[in-house]
């Protein structure tokens, strides 16, 4: 499952002041309006003193004390489905290909994060498998020293034929999105055909030894909430982890609270039919509430994005296909890592930008041709919208 959301931060001007440091200077001045062509947003914390080089470990620790060791990388904005909960029927406006990260840029930035402490990378999109160099990207990322998990979230349409090579090249965890077990309903939800191909991909993942094969299911009232127990049956004899996800609001998906099926209601349906449901001890950074059922080889999970948020343990960072970096999926602020990378920024300079983003005050950061970094200080972003 891939969720599209446009960023529209509300910025307000502040007085100007300059801060000098070895190798350049920061110019803090009035913020330009969101959407300005020569500025892009991030979260950062700035003092009156010159900016000091962050140690790799400090770079990934935010102002709430959370250590971010999990990086999600969007490989493309394109998708071969048009899921109703994900994007409008007409699709989304795509970024020109020249402004998207190249394979070498993806690997370079990923290496920067991994050498700083990230140990898990998840490839997303759009739909990551439609990128032609997906196998090469997996091979290079899996060879990064210190990376423990290379995962992918996919809709499964083209996965089955590519998965053997992807596994050979280091992809060791897979999530496949499937919201219905009814072919006609699948076509209605995705506005495309391909239900049989997704099932084929799930079977291929099981046959190749992925354990568990994670199946993501967005539950919507009156649409597929009557299939919850049918999905649970997938876990009876195979190493499948069905992950029921609460319906979330994103731009263009015509979200309606009446469609939301809360976690406790989904759980009640499972409890009513199955005996011996046991909660699994979750990792502090886990987004899902995980359960085992007596006699089942697989497991069942619930992702409570709407009713019980998991922000306190969040350890995720996000690199978008255009090179913009986000600390919070629901936060409006982003900073471009592509622009300074293409302008020739050194690793230490990129670390400063990342560290600033992870430290939770809103800034606007433009790059000049002379590679002088300017920062525009703005107001606090309501604690990264932690309560959302």
């Amino acid at each position: 499952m891939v969720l599209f959301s446009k960023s529209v931060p509300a910025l307000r001007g502040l007085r100007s002041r300059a801060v000098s440091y070895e190798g350049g200077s920061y110019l803090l001045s009035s913020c330009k309006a969101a959407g300005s062509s020569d500025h892009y947003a991030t979260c950062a914390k700035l003092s009156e003193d010159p900016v000091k080089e962050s140690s790799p470990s400090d770079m990934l620790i935010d102002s709430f004390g959370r250590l971010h060791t999990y990086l999600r990388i969007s490989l493309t904005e394109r998708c071969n489905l048009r899921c109703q909960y994900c994007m409008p029927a007409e699709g989304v406006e795509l970024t020109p290909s020249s402004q998207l990260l190249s394979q070498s840029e993806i690997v370079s930035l990923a290496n920067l994060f991994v050498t700083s402490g990230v140990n898990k990378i998840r490839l997303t999109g759009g739909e990551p498998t439609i990128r032609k160099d997906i196998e090469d990207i997996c091979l290079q990322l899996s060879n990064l020293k210190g990376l423990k998990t290379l995962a992918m979230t996919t809709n499964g349409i083209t996965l089955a034929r590519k998965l053997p090579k992807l596994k050979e090249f280091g992809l060791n965890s897979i999530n496949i999105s499937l919201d219905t077990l009814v072919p006609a309903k699948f076509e209605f939800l995705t506005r495309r055909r391909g239900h049989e191909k997704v099932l084929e991909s799930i079977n291929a993942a099981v046959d190749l030894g992925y354990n568990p094969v994670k199946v993501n299911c967005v539950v919507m009232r009156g649409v597929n909430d009557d299939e919850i127990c049918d999905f649970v049956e997938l876990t009876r004899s195979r190493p499948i982890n069905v992950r029921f996800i609460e319906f979330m609001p994103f731009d263009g998906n015509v979200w309606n609270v009446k469609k939301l099926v809360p976690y406790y209601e989904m759980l009640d349906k499972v409890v009513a039919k199955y005996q011996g449901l046991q909660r699994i001890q979750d990792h502090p950074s886990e987004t899902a509430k995980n359960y085992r059922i007596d006699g089942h080889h697989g497991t069942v999970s619930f992702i409570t994005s709407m009713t019980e948020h998991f922000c306190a343990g969040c350890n995720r960072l996000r690199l978008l296909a255009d090179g913009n970096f986000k600390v919070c999926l629901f936060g409006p602020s982003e900073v471009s890592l592509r622009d300074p990378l293409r302008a020739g920024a050194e690793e230490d300079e990129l670390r400063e930008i990342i560290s600033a983003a992870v430290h939770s005050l809103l800034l606007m950061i433009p790059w000049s041709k002379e590679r002088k970094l300017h920062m525009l200080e703005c107001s606090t972003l309501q604690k990264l919208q932690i309560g959302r």
Side-chain angles (χ1 to χ4, degrees), residues 33 47 81 84-85 104 133 215 222 227 258 271 319 354 363 388:
S47 70
L81 296 180
Q84 294 191 31
Y85 59 77
S104 62
D133 57 354
V215 176
E227 297 185 62
K258 294 181 180 180
V271 170
L319 182 62
I354 294 168
L363 291 179
R388 292 189 61 175

Side-chain angles (χ1 to χ4, degrees), residues 67-84:
L67 175 61
H68 296 268
T69 58
Y70 179 179
L71 177 66
R72 299 172 66 93
I73 302 177
S74 173
L75 298 183
T76 178
E77 296 174 348
R78 298 180 181 276
C79 188
N80 45 10
L81 296 180
R82 291 292 181 271
C83 298
Q84 294 191 31

Side-chain angles (χ1 to χ4, degrees), residues 21-22 26 51-56 59 108-109 112 115-116 337 340-341 344-356 367 371 373 375:
Y21 72 105
E22 185 178 354
Y26 289 102
V51 175
K52 299 178 181 179
E53 181 180 348
S54 298
S55 68
M59 187 187 89
S108 177
L109 290 173
L112 181 65
T115 56
S116 300
L337 299 182
L341 181 64
E346 301 293 337
E347 282 194 359
D348 286 346
E349 295 174 291
L350 291 169
R351 289 184 196 278
E352 282 295 336
I353 298 172
I354 294 168
S355 180
W367 268 80
R371 295 178 54 216
L373 184 62
M375 283 186 162

